Each structure stands twice: as structure tokens, then as C-alpha cells.
Amino acid sequence: MDCDVHANDREENIYFLFASASEWELANWLSSSALSQNEINQYLRLQRNIDQPVSFNTAKDLWARIEGLPEVPRWHCQEIKIGSYKTKSPLMLYVRDGLEVIKYLFSNPVFAQCIDLTPELPEGHSFLGVIGASNKTPLTIGTGNKEMHPLLLSIANIHAGVRMKATSHSFALAAYLPIPKFLNVSQPVQAILAARVYHFAISVVMKNLKIAHQDGAVMSDPQGYLRVIHTPLAAWIADYPEQLLFACVSSKNSPISTATAAQFGDPFPHPPRTRQQTLQAIFEACAACNPCDIIAFHKVCQQKRLSGVVEPFWADWGSACPSIFLTPDALHQWHKFYFDHCLRWVTNIMTGPELDQRLSVLQPRIGTRHWANGVSTLKQCTGREHRNLEELLPAVSMGPIPDNVLCAIRSITEFIFLAQDQFVYDETLHALTKALRNTRAMGAPYQWSSNITECCHITHVKTPYRLSNRHNFHIQCCRFLDRREKQRFFQLFTTLKTAGMPLFNEMIYYPESTWIESVLPGEHRINTSTPRGSVFNNARAHLSSNNSTTILLTLKPHFPDLSIDDASQLLSITNLRPALGDFFAGRSYMLRNGRHISPPNCSLPFSRVHVWSKFRMQQHSAQNPFVLAPPQTIQAAPPSFALPFGRANTVLIAHESGDPTLDIIGECYLVAQVKAILQPVTAPLQLPLLYVEFFNFSNAHFVVVNGVRIVVPTPKIDMFLVHRRLRSNKLPLGDIIPMDSVRQVVQLIPKFGAAASPEMTCDNCLDVAREFYINSFADKETFHAILSYQ
């Protein structure tokens, strides 16, 4: 940036080619908006802009100035011809040099604090693992049948937590691959020719990366130091059809092993399909038949389970082997599989309306998807919605479906959750080895999901296309992305220069654990803005008694300064005053056996209370205690016309009347429904209190350890079963507890039995049902926290 042709001009005006900071801000906004060229011109002709002119008068002038900013890897165009075969349109490859793209990513100062370079080579030499990703994506909806085939590159050395954020821009577009449509050829010939075009096009992109892998290439690292870099192929993210294309294997075969489709259900892993085996098979096929005779060659390839590719792009890229660099794709191989198969099993057995009814009556929670209209009629979902269904399906399926199907669904769900762990430890790795052969070599599988590349399809393909005129759109998309990259880097440069900061210090530390593939809400943006603060750092937050959880109330109560009787009426808690009386008298719950000893008119050391309808809670991650999980909101909304039963979420609390667990002997736990959040109005203010109603763990499932009775999960579904704690008059038993007793947010799912009760709704499900499962799949943090309690 400091070395381009306009570097001297920027010593006086760092915004050159623009007159000032305000002009650059306007130019950046106009070019980044969805405004068309004509709309930008209309805006610039407004009288206000004539009275206060800027240095550019038209959209073309604006774009020309942006294109004059410091260079990013340049685009090139190349036509591909395949012998005498004719295509519907010319095969045009729009490409950037893969080595230049990797240099561009590696020199980005944003990654200075989150990139690893292992000194395993001679001094001054380092490895940069190349990650590729490709997949066709449709441009039109319903009509048009237009597609593009983007190829993205990234660097494996960038920390996975940063690389998996779309806002980090760690994946750069390297090419728009051609999508060939040959004329007057059979389907087998079309498939073989398309596969050969695909490998040839990728070879063009990767040509210099292959040379750099062998000989090394001088690159500038994020801190500006020069290094000799070698670039092996580390991984390629693709769905199953594209993986077959990469492995040069015919359909109905595994791209990474010798298994055929008929053997996919075998209880043992088949040997890997090594590069040597594939290359030897291609050599034998070429020796047996001329590859130019496509029809005859196709028959030979079918016998050897080959796709007809003669020169795989990875053949001369070091020791690259598809069985290693083709990684598991969580989005397609796990989440989409779950939606297509597990959901269909349940729907076919219990019927769609029954499943829809069960999902619709679950209590809504802030930050999670509520399926008010069910799922049985859905044709497709987003990746997040796939994960939301995985969290609920095992528990809501209990009852109508056979035990063996339930165990299969529960096992598949647990496999998906374990396989997405940020850290794969030996015990987990041993359990996953047969399914995820290369996890030990390639690291945690979550980082190879195509979620991130699917997001890039929007920013790198669909958005540029929609802003084009739909004719010769590849060129327009290339120019659009060129401008966007220049804008982003120039914005970073000017921001840091005006702040007087060195470039390589721009990146705030983002550990891997900040990206969790689950329903955990929120994501920090990687840019120059300040990241979201931690609840732990808030001076008003209240820390739990074991320092694991912090709770934050809003500064202003939702119902301030109420009398005790008014609060009791608002919350529909008739025994609020006796419960407060027992708490402030110091009467132990166990000594009074849960009964309220204080009379209904007992005196209290205060006469008024503040009431809140919700609070925020944050914990240290159960997967990594050095990382904070995103905050969650717990509701305790009072009854109203819209919510006759209120909206009271459930939590796990430490309580003297609770049950111990196998993990922590000495602290006892209960599930409780938060009915009220109170704070006595005193001087000084006391710590907030909760009025909760208790749930007992089921007596049917327990073990005895050293004479201590320990509750355990229900067999088959492997979830804890709880039921309401009732008084002798059959009303729920509630009491006052300190807020710092809260340990974990939990989701209760009714035990529906053979059919869901018709009177049950999402507002009263916790009041109508008699027994409930603690959903261990509510989210990733709950899954690991409940594992620790077992």
C-alpha cells in the first residue's frame, strides 16, 4: 500500500485519489451499495451535490478512481477448446493466478495475530497449506437456468475460528470455472468432457502454486517480513458430486475409499483410495484404450470405476491424495443428510401432523428457532435450520417410534455434535476414528464445513450478478469484486493510518472457539469496530456462587418499585410474601421440608421490590473454559392477556434439595422454572432473588456410588427425565432462591407419549405435561455441559 504509484501523494492526503475523508466515505458507500449506475448518476446530479461538489461526477468516474487504488490480484480470461467438440457457448475461464491470490491473503495484516507458521523447514522457509473450495451455484430462481462455478482459495495456517468467519474475508475468489454444455453428444461423453475441462481449468489456476510447492516462492508475511513459502494442497471443501469429480471416480462410489454404494452401510471402514491406486488405474485405462475415443474409453473406465479424466490436476502437486485432502463436509454430509433421511424416518412413522404438533407446542426461547408451523411440508431449509431440527428431533420423537429407530436417530445426532467439537480429544477421536478416518491428520472436522463457502456464493457470485446487466456478466462480476477488494483494503489502510497504528496490529485476538457450529447466537465481526463486550466485564453483573456464570439485569427494572402485594398480583404468585419471609428469616428449605412457615401477612425488612421480566446470562464454554460462550436470555414474563401463563424459561440451579451427579459430588442440582426476578428496595440494594418452581429428577433411573444415590439419564433416549415438584394440594411447589444459584440454561421437552395432548400449546406446555426430558441437544454448550454432569 505504501509502495504503489500514488504513495507520494498520500504523504499529504492519505485518501488520494479522493479529496478528503468525507469524500472517500461517500465514494465507499456509493460503490458498496446496491445502487445501479444510473441511480448513482442521479444522486450525483442532485442540487446538494452540485452546491458541494465532489471530485467525481459520474458512476464511471467513481469506479475508475476505485480501480486506480492499489492493486489486488488481477483477473485474466482464457478460452478453452476441446478438440472438434462444439459447445453451446465458448468455454471462457475467468481466472486469477492462484499463487498471487495466496500471496494476497498471506500479506493481509488482519491475520497477523492468528496465523501459524511452523519452523519445520530450513531457516526462512515455511509451509502454507492451500485450501480450495468449489461448487456450482444457481444465479436465477425458477427460470433462466443460469449457473456459475466459483473456485475459492484460503490458507490452512489461518486459525480455524477466524477462517470460518465470513466477515474475515479469508476465502478469496480465484476463478469462475466454465460450465461446459457440449452439442450433439451422449450423456457419458458430456460427463467425461466436462470432467476433463474441470481438471484442466483448475490446473491453470494452480500452475504456479504447484511450482511454489516444489521450489518455494518469496512472499511477504502479515508483518511485512519476506519468507520462502512452499504451498502444498492441504484440503478441498466440496459436496459429494464434486468430490467424485476431484477423485476421478465414477458415480455410486466413495471418493476417498474403495467402497461402492452397495458397501456404504458396511460396519467396517474400507481401505482408502490412494493417489497411487487412482493414477495406476488411469494409466492402465489409457494403455487399454485411446482416451480420445471417448465412447470406448468410457466403457474401460466404468470397469475400473473411473470418471474418464486422464490428467488429474492434483497428479503433479506433490503427494496430494484425494483420500486425504477431501475432507468431511458437515453441511451436506451431516446436516443435509439428517434433514433428508432422519426427519423422513420420523415423519413416516409418526406422521407429519403429529410431528408438527409436537414441534409447535415447545416453549419459545429468545435466540432459538420456534417451529410454529412444523416441518413436515418443508422442501428445503437453511443450514442453521437443519441444525435447529437436530437439536429437537430425538426428544420430540420419543413415544411413537420404535426403540431401534430412536437409538439410531439419537446416535446419529450425538455423532454430529461430537464431530463438530472445536477440540477433538483422544477419547472422542477413538469413537470417531472409523467414521472420520483423517481427523487426527486434518484436525477438527468443523473447520471444513462448506457453510463458509456457501456464504461466499452470495458475496462473490450472486450479489455481483444481480448488480450486473445480466449480459456478459462474468466480466462485470470480476470488475465488481476487484473494486470491492480494493475498497476493503483501502478502508483498512486509511483507518489505521489516521489512528497512527501499525498495520499488523489491527487484528484483535479471535480464538478458534469464537466460531461454534451450533445454534449459539451472534458472531463478532472482524473489522476495525470494537467487539461486543463480555457480561463478565460488566460492573453491574452478578457472579454465580461457583464463579462459572454471570447474570446481568437491565439498569431499569421492567416493573419498578412495586409493593409486595402488587408484585404478587402481577406475577400471580399467591405465596410470594411467605416465601420471602422464610428466605429472610434464614429458614432452610430442607429443615422446613419445603413448606412455608411464615404467615401470609408476615412482616419483611422491606416493603417494595423491583421486578424484571428477563435477564441475560453468560458462561465459560464447556468445551474450552478459557473462552466465553455467547450470552443467553432467560425470560420470566408475568401472565398477561397475550400470555395467560406468562413465559417462564427453565434453568439448572444448585440447591440443597437437589440431586448429586457423577461429575460433581457435593453440589446438588435441580431444574427450576424462573417465575419471577425480584430485588428488594433497600439501602443499599440487596442481591436479586428468583422465585422458582422446582422439578424433581425421576426416581426411576439412578445408580449408587459410595452409598450416594446418583441420578442418570433415561435409557435409549439418554436424557434426564424430570417432573414437577408438587404440594399436597397438587399445586407447583415454589420458593425464593438467590440469583447466584443459577448454573445453566436448560430446555425441557414434554414427554408426549403416543400422541401430543390437543390442549397443549407453546404457552402452556410446561403446565399441561406431567414429565419432561432435559434436552441435551439444545445447543452445543448444553450438550457438553450435560455430558459433564453424567
Side-chain angles (χ1 to χ4, degrees):
M1 186 68 75
D2 284 326
C3 301
D4 76 309
V5 295
H6 299 295
N8 293 334
D9 297 304
R10 293 198 184 94
E11 290 182 0
E12 297 181 3
N13 174 22
I14 63 171
Y15 298 97
F16 190 86
L17 300 155
F18 298 91
S20 63
S22 59
E23 184 174 295
W24 161 243
E25 183 179 13
L26 174 63
N28 191 29
W29 180 82
L30 286 174
S31 187
S32 300
S33 69
L35 297 176
S36 66
Q37 179 177 334
N38 186 47
E39 289 169 333
I40 293 175
N41 289 336
Q42 290 179 6
Y43 172 81
L44 293 174
R45 285 196 294 265
L46 293 176
Q47 186 61 44
R48 180 184 181 281
N49 293 316
I50 295 175
D51 296 338
Q52 300 177 6
V54 292
S55 59
F56 47 90
N57 300 318
T58 65
K60 285 186 176 181
D61 188 12
L62 166 62
W63 293 343
R65 289 172 183 266
I66 292 176
E67 288 171 356
L69 293 176
E71 289 291 338
V72 295
R74 292 189 176 186
W75 286 93
H76 304 278
C77 181
Q78 176 179 339
E79 183 176 359
I80 300 175
K81 294 184 178 181
I82 305 295
S84 60
Y85 292 98
K86 296 181 179 180
T87 56
K88 187 175 180 180
S89 58
L91 299 181
M92 305 304 298
L93 171 63
Y94 297 88
V95 62
R96 300 199 286 186
D97 184 350
L99 181 61
E100 293 300 317
V101 173
I102 294 298
K103 285 183 178 180
Y104 162 75
L105 290 172
F106 185 47
S107 63
N108 190 339
V110 167
F111 302 131
Q113 304 301 323
C114 55
I115 193 167
D116 294 321
L117 295 172
T118 53
E120 298 179 357
L121 298 175
E123 185 176 357
H125 291 246
S126 298
F127 277 125
L128 278 186
V130 177
I131 299 175
S134 60
N135 192 16
K136 290 181 184 178
T137 185
L139 299 176
T140 53
I141 301 175
T143 60
N145 195 29
K146 290 184 179 180
E147 294 179 307
M148 291 181 77
H149 200 158
L151 190 158
L152 302 161
L153 293 180
S154 187
I155 299 173
N157 305 59
I158 299 173
H159 293 176
V162 175
R163 191 175 68 246
M164 293 304 293
K165 288 180 180 289
T167 50
S168 70
H169 304 288
S170 56
F171 279 83
L173 186 66
Y176 289 124
L177 303 177
I179 302 177
K181 295 180 181 179
F182 292 92
L183 299 176
N184 305 318
V185 297
S186 63
Q187 181 57 39
V189 174
Q190 164 70 30
I192 290 178
L193 292 176
R196 292 181 180 180
V197 169
Y198 182 78
H199 278 263
F200 175 79
I202 296 181
S203 293
V204 173
V205 180
M206 307 301 183
K207 176 181 177 181
N208 289 329
L209 283 173
K210 298 176 186 179
I211 297 173
H213 170 61
Q214 180 67 31
D215 303 331
V218 177
M219 301 186 194
S220 173
D221 70 11
Q223 300 189 18
Y225 298 112
L226 295 179
R227 296 174 180 268
V228 178
I229 298 297
H230 300 263
T231 53
L233 178 58
W236 202 281
I237 301 172
D239 59 10
Y240 174 69
E242 198 122 345
Q243 287 186 351
L244 291 176
L245 199 56
F246 267 101
C248 306
V249 176
S250 60
S251 60
K252 298 184 180 180
N253 289 283
S254 169
I256 61 172
S257 75
T258 58
T260 63
Q263 299 169 319
F264 284 176
D266 289 351
F268 56 87
H270 287 258
R273 183 186 298 275
T274 65
R275 64 177 272 123
Q276 291 80 7
Q277 289 174 332
T278 302
L279 294 177
Q280 180 62 29
I282 292 174
F283 175 80
E284 293 173 356
C286 292
C289 181
N290 183 0
C292 296
D293 185 355
I294 303 293
I295 297 177
F297 190 69
H298 169 69
K299 295 179 180 179
V300 175
C301 289
Q302 286 295 100
Q303 297 173 0
K304 296 182 176 294
R305 294 188 287 169
L306 297 174
S307 64
V309 173
V310 178
E311 297 179 347
F313 81 89
W314 43 263
D316 56 345
W317 198 340
S319 58
C321 179
S323 67
I324 296 176
F325 70 70
L326 290 178
T327 54
D329 176 16
L331 179 63
H332 294 96
Q333 296 179 3
W334 304 342
H335 304 312
K336 191 67 166 63
F337 165 86
Y338 200 93
F339 181 81
D340 291 340
H341 299 281
C342 296
L343 180 62
R344 186 178 300 175
W345 300 342
V346 175
T347 303
N348 290 342
I349 294 173
M350 72 162 52
T351 73
E354 175 64 21
L355 177 60
D356 293 343
Q357 170 68 7
R358 294 180 179 220
L359 290 172
S360 67
V361 302
L362 299 182
Q363 185 187 61
R365 298 189 302 158
I366 293 177
T368 62
R369 176 73 154 86
H370 178 61
W371 300 93
N373 299 314
V375 299
S376 63
T377 58
L378 293 179
K379 300 301 181 184
Q380 60 181 10
C381 290
T382 65
R384 179 173 292 274
E385 288 172 333
H386 286 154
R387 297 193 293 272
N388 292 155
L389 283 172
E390 292 163 14
E391 296 151 13
L392 300 174
L393 195 62
V396 299
S397 302
M398 186 70 174
I401 67 175
D403 290 345
N404 57 343
V405 179
L406 177 66
C407 290
I409 291 175
R410 205 255 178 231
S411 300
I412 292 172
T413 308
E414 184 168 352
F415 167 83
I416 292 174
F417 271 67
L418 287 173
Q420 294 178 100
D421 283 356
Q422 303 160 47
F423 306 100
V424 183
Y425 299 103
D426 284 342
E427 57 270 24
T428 304
L429 187 62
H430 176 74
L432 301 179
T433 296
K434 292 185 178 180
L436 304 175
R437 187 196 311 273
N438 58 356
T439 298
R440 189 180 294 276
M442 299 298 292
Y446 82 91
Q447 64 183 306
W448 310 119
S449 173
S450 59
N451 288 60
I452 176 64
T453 58
E454 294 287 342
C455 290
C456 290
H457 286 175
I458 298 174
T459 57
H460 292 61
V461 180
K462 295 182 180 180
T463 297
Y465 170 77
R466 289 164 186 165
L467 292 175
S468 72
N469 63 9
R470 312 301 201 270
H471 300 288
N472 296 322
F473 52 85
H474 286 88
I475 297 176
Q476 297 175 58
C477 291
C478 292
R479 294 189 65 181
F480 174 88
L481 292 174
D482 187 75
R483 291 195 299 269
R484 280 290 174 92
E485 289 181 350
K486 290 180 178 180
Q487 286 175 246
R488 188 169 63 249
F489 265 81
F490 193 67
Q491 177 66 25
L492 172 63
F493 169 79
T494 55
T495 300
L496 297 179
K497 280 292 187 180
T498 53
M501 298 169 60
L503 292 179
F504 59 82
N505 283 337
E506 198 275 339
M507 180 66 186
I508 301 170
Y509 179 63
Y510 288 89
E512 292 184 10
S513 310
T514 56
W515 186 89
I516 302 175
E517 179 147 357
S518 69
V519 299
L520 292 180
E523 177 184 14
H524 298 320
R525 289 183 62 83
I526 297 184
N527 53 24
T528 54
S529 63
T530 303
R532 185 182 305 167
S534 161
V535 177
F536 277 87
N537 296 332
N538 194 302
R540 296 185 291 105
H542 305 279
L543 200 62
S544 66
S545 56
N546 68 348
N547 298 328
S548 66
T549 304
T550 186
I551 296 173
L552 180 65
L553 297 170
T554 57
L555 183 62
K556 183 179 179 180
H558 298 105
F559 305 96
D561 200 24
L562 298 179
S563 68
I564 304 297
D565 293 338
D566 287 344
S568 177
Q569 182 177 0
L570 170 72
L571 300 168
S572 295
I573 302 176
T574 56
N575 61 344
L576 180 60
R577 183 181 288 272
L580 289 168
D582 289 339
F583 180 83
F584 283 95
R587 299 188 180 101
S588 166
Y589 180 93
M590 296 298 289
L591 290 178
R592 54 188 168 89
N593 200 25
R595 296 190 300 271
H596 291 310
I597 298 176
S598 298
N601 60 349
C602 66
S603 62
L604 296 170
F606 53 90
S607 60
R608 308 188 75 81
V609 293
H610 296 314
V611 177
W612 283 262
S613 61
K614 61 183 177 181
F615 63 83
R616 293 178 74 212
M617 187 178 104
Q618 189 174 33
Q619 301 168 276
H620 290 277
S621 171
Q623 301 179 67
N624 182 358
F626 298 103
V627 172
L628 295 179
Q632 293 177 285
T633 300
I634 293 85
Q635 289 182 283
S640 63
F641 178 78
L643 297 172
F645 294 87
R647 178 66 53 75
N649 295 154
T650 49
V651 294
L652 189 72
I653 63 172
H655 195 264
E656 58 183 313
S657 68
D659 291 290
T661 69
L662 289 172
D663 184 65
I664 306 176
I665 303 295
E667 188 166 43
C668 298
Y669 296 97
L670 270 183
V671 174
Q673 186 178 19
V674 181
K675 303 293 286 188
I677 308 164
L678 311 165
Q679 185 177 41
V681 179
T682 59
L685 288 173
Q686 299 186 16
L687 292 177
L689 305 171
L690 302 179
Y691 182 90
V692 300
E693 293 178 355
F694 302 112
F695 292 79
N696 285 338
F697 285 94
S698 172
N699 293 321
H701 311 289
F702 65 92
V703 296
V704 177
V705 179
N706 298 327
V708 179
R709 179 181 173 276
I710 307 292
V711 295
V712 295
T714 304
K716 299 183 179 66
I717 188 65
D718 201 27
M719 293 182 183
F720 289 101
L721 186 66
V722 298
H723 57 82
R724 276 196 180 274
R725 184 179 291 182
L726 302 176
R727 299 185 183 277
S728 56
N729 58 4
K730 304 302 181 182
L731 293 178
L733 193 155
D735 206 4
I736 295 290
I737 64 169
M739 181 178 277
D740 64 5
S741 299
V742 176
R743 294 291 182 268
Q744 177 80 32
V745 180
V746 295
Q747 180 187 30
L748 295 187
I749 294 184
K751 184 179 179 182
F752 292 104
S757 171
E759 64 179 359
M760 189 181 296
T761 68
C762 63
D763 297 322
N764 67 6
C765 64
L766 296 185
D767 300 278
V768 172
R770 298 175 59 86
E771 293 183 299
F772 307 85
Y773 292 110
I774 300 178
N775 186 13
S776 55
F777 298 118
D779 56 49
K780 290 284 288 182
E781 288 302 308
T782 301
F783 174 73
H784 287 278
I786 290 182
L787 279 182
S788 70
Y789 296 136
Q790 297 183 27

